[in-house]
Structures are given as C-alpha cells and as structure tokens.
Amino acid sequence: MINLFTLLGIGADSEPASVINACNELRESDPFLAQEASDVLLNRERANSYRQMHVQFKALAMTHQRLVEEDYAAQAEGKAGGRRLRGKKISNQFKDTNHWSRRLVEFK
Amino acid sequence: MNQLVHICLRKKLPGIALDFNFAFACALGLGLNLSLGTFNSALALSQTDSAALMLAQSVTANDTNSNANNDQPRIISRPQTIATDNDLLSAESSQIVSDTTSPEQPATQSTQTQVSTGSAQESGSTNTLPQWLPGGLKNTLESYLDAAQLEFVGRYFVWLLAGVAAICLLPFFLMATAADRKRAVYSEAPTSQNLHTPEKNDPLDFGELDLPDTVQADTEAKPNQQVTGSTGQTPDATTDSTLSAGTSELDLLDETQVTTDLPDSITSPGADSLNDVADLHEATIALDEASLSEATAPASQPITGESDDRSTADSAITSSTAAANSLHSESDSPAAIQAQASTAVQQPQPLTRFGLWLYDLPQDEGARAAMEAFLYWVRYGAGHIKPGLAEALATTDELDDHARIKRAVLSFRPEVLHDILLSLKMHLDPKQYMPFLDMMLAILVNGSGVKPVENLLLRYYADFIGIGSEQLDFRYRKAHGKPLPSIPRPDRMKWWNQQPTADKQLSPAHELLGIDESADAQTLDRIRRLADFRHSPERFSLLGEHERALIARSREKYHAALDSAMQVTS
C-alpha cells in the first residue's frame, strides 16, 4: 500500500483543503498518482478506510522489523535461530506468504 | 511411510519426520531380518536337499560298487526338523546323515565329513558374532562369510549397524537441513537497512535501533479526550453511562457498537504519553529483578511511530533503568556489555508499559490478556469503537484488566501491536495458535464479509504463526463458505471499484448475517450451519474458559439474528 500522506507531504489528519493543494502540486509531476490520491482521500468512506489501513501498516512495519527481520538477520549472522524471552524459546516460524517486506517497502 | 515423512517435512516437523524415519528404519531392519530368515530357511532346505541328493548318489554308487547289504532297504528321508526349523545346518545336517545312513558307509562318511567340515567351520566362527543376533541373520552370515570375515563382522558388528542406520537417516537429515537453509535465505530479503531509511519527517522513521538501551517510554497513552474522527464525529452524550460497561467487561460482541472513524489520537502524534508519566514509577516498582536486568539489555530502543513521539520518552522508566543498572553494576564491564550486545538481538522485549504488564502476567492470564488485546486491536482497528469509550477510559483512574487493554489498544501506537504479538508468542501454547485464529474468524468476521483491516491483520497473524495464506484461506472458507478476499488495496481506485456498494440500510440482524430481507429459508439454513460450525465448542477446547464463554455468546447472538431473520422470511 502506498503511503499517500508521505507522497503528498501531508499529515494523516490534514484537512481536505490541504489534500487538494498537495494533490495539485503532485499533479504536475505524477498526474496518475495525484488523481488516485485525490479520489481516495477526498471521499469520506475511502479516506476513513485508508486511514485505518495506514495505522495498521505503520504498526506492522515496526512490528515486522522488530520481531521478524532482526531475527532472520541474527540467523543469517550465524546466531541461533529463534529468540528467548524469559528463558522461553520463541521460535520464529514466520511464513511470508504475503510478501510483507515488499509491501512495507512500498508503504514507506 | 515416505508420504508421512514428506507431510511432516512440509509441515516443518523434522523431529516427527525423524521419528518416522527411525520407525521406518526399524521396520526396514525387522523386515530385512525376516526376509533373511525366510531366505535362510529356503537356503537350508536347498542345502539339505543337496546333501540328501549327494547322499543318495553316494548310496547308489556304493550299492553298485560294493554289493553290500542288498536286502536292507535304505530310506533316505528328509528330517522333520528341516521343514519346521530355520536354525539348522550345523546340528541338523549331521543329524541327517546319522538318521538316514549307516555310519559304516564310506559314502555316508564322505557326506558326513563334507557337511561336518562346514559345521565345524561354522561352529568355530559362531562365537565371533554377537549372541543376541537373531538366528536367521546369524546363519545367513555364517553361510556367506568365511571365518576371517565373520570374525571381522563379529568384532565390528555394532559399528557396521550404526553405519547402515546413519546411511538410512542421512537423506532425511539433509532434507531437514535444506528446509532450514531455505528459511534462512529469507534473511536476504529487504531488511531494516533498506526498509526504513531515516528521513526528516518520515512517519516511519523509527530512529537508530542500536542505541544504548532504555526501556521504552510509556506508550500506554491515554486516548485523546474526544473521539472526533476525521469526519468530525463527536462523542456520544451517554459517555458516563457507557463508562462502566466500557471499562469492566468485554464489548467485542456488543451490539451497540458503531463503526466510527479513528480517534484523533491515532492521527495526531504527540498528543499522548505525557499524562502517564506519573504512573510509570508505580509500574517500574513492580518489576522484579529479572525484568530489570532484561530492561537494561541494549536491544530495546525507543522506537516510535512518529518522530514527535521521541520527545515523550518516559523519564520514570529511564530512571528505573538507571536503578537497575546500579543493581547490576557488575554488568558494566566491557566484557559483560559485549556479551549483552551479542545476545541482545535474540531477546525481544516489550516496548511499552502495557507490554511489560502483559509480559509479567502468569502464563494463563497472560494468554487470555494477549488474545483479548489482539482481538481489540483488530476490532477497534476496523473502526468498531463505541462512541465515548476513549474519553471514558481517558478519565478513569481505576482500570481493570479489560479497561487497561482497551486503553492501550485505543492509542494505536505501533509499539502496542509489537507487544501484543510478542505476548501472544510468549504466553500462548503453539497448539492454541489455530484455535485462536478460528476464534477470530468466528467472532470478528461477520456474515457481511471481512473488513480490510481484519483481512490484513488476519493475514499477518497467519504468517506470524507460520501457517500462511493458503491455510488461512482454507479455514476461512470452512468458516464462512466463501474465499478470503485478496489483500486490500484502499490506496488504489481499481480496488475500490471492485468493492460492492451497500445500496440499502439493513437491520442489525441481517447485517450480521450478511443477507438482505429477500433471503430464503434455504439460505438461512446454510448460514445457520456455517455459524454452528464456526462456534462449535470442540474447536476451542484448547482455549481458556474465558474465550469459550466469548464464543458461546457470539453463537447466541447469531442464533438470535437467525431467528429474527427467519421471522422476516416467513
């Protein structure tokens, strides 16, 4: 999912007027994305749904980095797979069937 | 057997696969032994027949040449033991001779000598083989090997056996290792280094992750004082009346909930956290020494979803960390610090005070709280937030566990999701992962379909517990009778254009069931069967009593909705 707020350079709680201005600025360089952003963020239902997903992507980006990628990085460095939490082995069995890394890079 | 092994490996159960392999090897050994025994029996029979034939020829030749004892019939018969006993050759073969021929016959002597020579050779070498060897195998070895070879085999028999077993197990070990290597290859995928390049004002700038540790500042922020979403909704006037219900019990299934926009606290960074600073001291006192030592590990960095939030790092937690450091002054040595740094990446820690609270709960209680927190995260994330709840929680000083969870979730800080997922791993038995997924499919997703946020989080949870989308889709189909929609893309108009539009307002019952008033009795019957399956108690026997009660309530709700819809249909 594209981070439209970053793309437009606005905050997630920006007023519609700010969204319109930002879209107009973007239209010069990328008219297609500007139109997409405008259609999504200036419609109440779509904007609300997008904001909900934005919150989740933001949370997943951080969680994925902390819980999954660092663990795989540790394994790649030759450290024991899985982690320990209070002595309990927390095995990392993440199965990336939804290509989260790619999605989160796109979100950034 | 191979199928079973492959299934186990596909399901990442190399331990069980090896068990199967061991059983397979045992079965193979047993089968081989039995086969050798049978072969040996046949061999013994043929050898005895050969001996008998030779004996007959000798006798015939002897009769012809010497004309001795013409009147005495000579009966050459096979001893009974041949047909019934596999352990023979040495004793029985000599017995053959003695039973069927007279000892004074030269030919018999010849045969006896021939056979007994082999017997002597065999009896001399039998001592070199382990006594516990099955007779069939022992005799077969003795038949095919000479004395020197038998001695070698006898001396190194255990090692030879181990070598054969190792060769049998080697392919499976290699397969298991290859599976692990395949997983490790994932680490070459985009990582934190290229995932989040810090930029100014980047909402995903999480800061440098390798800074010296402090326990993450409080993130159990009180939600904003007003539930005013992006569309300007105002709190319900009945805030006071909803306070008790909202803070004392689960409202996951509450019919009165409405879908609202997210609170401002979600989209307005920096508005939270400050109010909880004073409470943190109390929380840190409760930390035991183990918690403190873990809290001082250098891995946990203040990671915030918004750059503004860094300024709200909690001084109380920081001071408690300093106190912890003073308690563990011996860990200040360079070697200890290096050791801590080397193990830091393997010790994930909660990042919020709420996470520490979850972290410290006993196993069962922690599992219940973690599941409840994730349920609320999904439900509130999809917009099912009771009007006025956030305000009520923000103004309440006395928080029970449910209210505490709700308040933390309503902050929607990324660290809270991190801590919830970490707590799920920490407290849940892996056997509970799937029942919990089924529980979410039963009580979160209603008949009108899965919401985008629910879809996203269910997919992440499925990957997080290692089952993936395929298994998730399978369980979703079984629970709801239709496939799980693809991962939502609300940033694309192409996706929006594919979404169904709600043309008319439905009653709550019909909306819950995902049907309109024109649904016939057959459709309702199908929905009832699906709902009964989703809520069948035996599917949740591994969950706690609290979760089972929640599922029972959800089932009652569906039955009430079905009864209501049935009345409309009839």
Side-chain angles (χ1 to χ4, degrees), chain B residues 535-549:
Chain B
H535 297 90
S536 52
E538 60 269 19
R539 302 180 70 214
F540 307 104
S541 57
L542 293 175
L543 297 181
E545 188 178 343
H546 183 262
E547 289 76 32
R548 291 199 298 272

Side-chain angles (χ1 to χ4, degrees), chain A:
Chain A
M1 193 179 83
I2 298 172
N3 190 340
L4 295 177
F5 299 130
T6 301
L7 183 73
L8 297 174
I10 59 175
D13 56 344
S14 298
E15 296 294 325
S18 302
V19 175
I20 292 171
N21 289 337
C23 287
N24 287 336
E25 289 177 14
L26 180 65
R27 191 161 280 121
E28 296 173 4
S29 58
D30 194 337
F32 176 76
L33 269 181
Q35 187 61 41
E36 291 272 291
S38 173
D39 290 342
V40 170
L41 296 180
L42 294 177
N43 176 286
R44 176 179 163 173
E45 181 194 0
R46 294 174 199 151
N48 189 38
S49 181
Y50 179 80
R51 282 193 178 89
Q52 290 174 353
M53 288 289 281
H54 186 271
V55 169
Q56 300 303 329
F57 262 86
K58 205 167 63 174
L60 287 178
M62 198 280 286
T63 299
H64 193 73
Q65 184 185 28
R66 296 284 294 190
L67 290 183
V68 179
E69 291 184 352
E70 288 181 8
D71 199 42
Y72 279 118
Q75 289 183 41
E77 290 171 11
K79 293 174 182 171
R83 305 186 189 190
R84 288 192 173 275
L85 192 61
R86 282 265 170 100
K88 179 185 176 183
K89 178 90 179 286
I90 306 292
S91 62
N92 194 331
Q93 51 194 177
F94 197 85
K95 194 172 185 179
D96 192 15
T97 59
N98 288 287
H99 313 291
W100 295 104
S101 296
R102 200 180 68 196
R103 291 183 187 281
L104 296 173
V105 166
E106 183 193 33
F107 179 72
K108 175 195 171 287

Side-chain angles (χ1 to χ4, degrees), chain B residues 190-475:
Chain B
T191 59
S192 56
Q193 282 74 24
N194 55 12
L195 181 61
H196 302 297
T197 305
E199 291 177 6
K200 208 170 185 179
N201 298 326
D202 181 3
L204 285 181
D205 177 8
F206 302 135
E208 296 86 4
L209 298 176
D210 298 326
L211 291 174
D213 175 57
T214 58
V215 174
Q216 171 58 30
D218 169 49
T219 55
E220 187 192 354
K222 291 181 179 179
N224 204 5
Q225 294 296 314
Q226 288 187 337
V227 187
T228 53
S230 58
T231 55
Q233 290 191 10
T234 56
D236 195 318
T238 60
T239 297
D240 290 340
S241 64
T242 60
L243 174 61
S244 59
T247 58
S248 62
E249 62 182 22
L250 281 174
D251 58 4
L252 283 164
L253 308 173
D254 197 333
E255 293 278 4
T256 63
Q257 287 182 95
V258 295
T259 302
T260 68
D261 294 344
L262 296 175
D264 276 353
S265 59
I266 298 168
T267 55
S268 302
D272 44 18
S273 299
L274 292 174
N275 293 332
D276 273 356
V277 170
D279 297 337
L280 291 172
H281 185 64
E282 173 194 343
T284 54
I285 291 173
L287 292 176
D288 57 19
E289 187 172 325
S291 299
L292 290 173
S293 64
E294 288 182 3
T296 58
S300 89
Q301 297 303 318
I303 296 181
T304 57
E306 304 287 348
S307 56
D308 294 351
D309 292 345
R310 289 195 204 101
S311 62
T312 65
D314 189 313
S315 59
I317 286 288
T318 307
S319 63
S320 76
T321 307
N325 282 329
S326 68
L327 286 173
H328 301 276
S329 57
E330 67 277 7
S331 65
D332 291 338
S333 65
I337 292 172
Q338 189 173 3
Q340 279 188 339
S342 64
T343 59
V345 75
Q346 296 185 4
Q347 294 183 349
Q349 298 176 29
L351 304 177
T352 67
R353 187 165 68 96
F354 169 72
L356 283 174
W357 172 74
L358 273 179
Y359 184 87
D360 281 336
L361 288 173
Q363 181 87 14
D364 292 343
E365 205 175 329
R368 180 195 60 73
M371 285 189 281
E372 183 180 329
F374 193 69
L375 287 170
Y376 276 126
W377 183 277
V378 179
R379 185 138 181 92
Y380 289 166
H384 299 285
I385 305 171
K386 188 186 292 182
L389 176 62
E391 184 183 28
L393 291 170
T395 56
T396 303
D397 293 330
E398 297 292 329
L399 294 176
D400 62 8
D401 289 354
H402 303 304
R404 189 186 184 102
I405 292 169
K406 289 176 188 176
R407 195 172 79 168
V409 168
L410 278 174
S411 74
F412 279 104
R413 297 179 60 114
E415 296 87 351
V416 173
L417 178 62
H418 168 277
D419 289 351
I420 291 171
L421 288 172
L422 190 64
S423 299
L424 285 172
K425 279 268 171 131
M426 175 68 189
H427 291 300
L428 258 65
D429 189 298
K431 292 175 185 171
Q432 295 176 308
Y433 290 164
M434 292 293 263
F436 180 51
L437 175 65
D438 291 334
M439 178 184 179
M440 287 192 284
L441 292 177
I443 72 173
L444 291 178
V445 183
N446 63 28
S448 60
V450 62
K451 302 282 189 302
V453 167
E454 295 166 348
N455 188 343
L456 183 79
L457 292 172
L458 284 171
R459 285 176 180 276
Y460 195 82
Y461 176 79
D463 277 343
F464 189 69
I465 63 173
I467 64 166
S469 296
E470 190 178 344
Q471 183 66 227
L472 171 65
D473 183 64
F474 173 74
R475 299 187 89 82

